[in-house]
Amino acid sequence: MKTDGRRVARAEKEVQAAVADFLIKSYQGDYPSLVSVSKVHMPSDLRTARVFISVFDVPMEKQKEVVAALQKKAGEVQHHLVKRITMKFCPKITFEVDTSTTQVLKIEKILDDLAKERKASEPKDGGVDE
């Protein structure tokens, strides 16, 4: 059976927007830092949704605590989804830490540090020997 990828992608976007809306309206101020819904993955039956959360500028252990707290509120999030989106079934939500954002930030920092080192090691007079 061929699945409609556009239908899944649209549902993922709707769930992502609804969860982000929940975080802004219902759960604001309970986080140690900026929290973002970075992506949502759903199977073709749309009955479950893995919601990936990024928590910026905090150690991984704290990120896991935020995601665990959100998981405890999954019922409230699902109730919010029922009001916001029109689907045959409300997907069962599970929250996970999105490590891809952290990895990208680490790589960018390494590249920035390398560029600074390279610039510091360049000759000050433009490299022309007399």
Side-chain angles (χ1 to χ4, degrees), residues 56-67:
F56 298 96
D57 296 331
V58 295
M60 180 56 73
E61 198 57 40
K62 192 67 173 174
Q63 291 181 40
K64 290 178 182 177
E65 289 175 19
V66 169
V67 168

Side-chain angles (χ1 to χ4, degrees), residues 15-59:
V15 169
Q16 182 176 3
V19 173
D21 184 61
F22 173 83
L23 294 177
I24 291 168
K25 291 181 178 175
S26 304
Y27 216 56
Q28 190 174 11
D30 293 344
Y31 306 116
S33 181
L34 177 64
V35 176
S36 172
V37 181
S38 54
K39 59 188 167 190
V40 174
H41 286 264
M42 297 178 75
S44 59
D45 68 2
L46 305 177
R47 295 210 182 218
T48 60
R50 291 173 48 208
V51 179
F52 292 86
I53 301 293
S54 295
V55 186
F56 298 96
D57 296 331
V58 295

